Amino acid sequence: EPAVAAIPAALWGKREAAELYHELLEHRWYQSERKGRDVGRDEAIRSYVDFLGSLPDERRALLVDEQP
């Protein structure tokens, strides 16, 4: 919960909470592999927030696609 709570509320519409957590863990792993060290939760969250902010809002995209 603390990791998901660290994601700015404005970005919560990008993913469901469980998906945010899963992607954050995966993002941390990839960042750690790339840098050859454990980047830690805080660094991973900052990097993930930057990445997530560049993506479209999935919920909004789904609603637009469902309209006739």
Side-chain angles (χ1 to χ4, degrees):
E1 288 181 20
V4 173
I7 305 295
L11 299 177
W12 287 358
K14 304 273 186 179
R15 302 284 192 270
E16 296 293 330
E19 191 172 4
L20 279 172
Y21 184 67
H22 173 77
E23 286 185 358
L24 178 58
L25 290 177
E26 191 173 67
H27 185 80
R28 179 179 176 176
W29 184 81
Y30 282 118
Q31 291 291 321
S32 296
E33 284 292 306
R34 188 176 353 191
K35 293 185 177 189
R37 64 176 174 81
D38 181 10
V39 297
R41 187 182 72 185
D42 293 338
E43 184 177 338
I45 289 171
R46 284 190 302 273
S47 175
Y48 180 69
V49 165
D50 290 342
F51 164 74
L52 189 61
S54 70
L55 299 177
D57 186 331
E58 285 185 345
R59 290 183 194 169
R60 200 170 311 156
L62 289 174
L63 291 174
V64 170
D65 288 344
E66 292 176 1
Q67 293 180 1

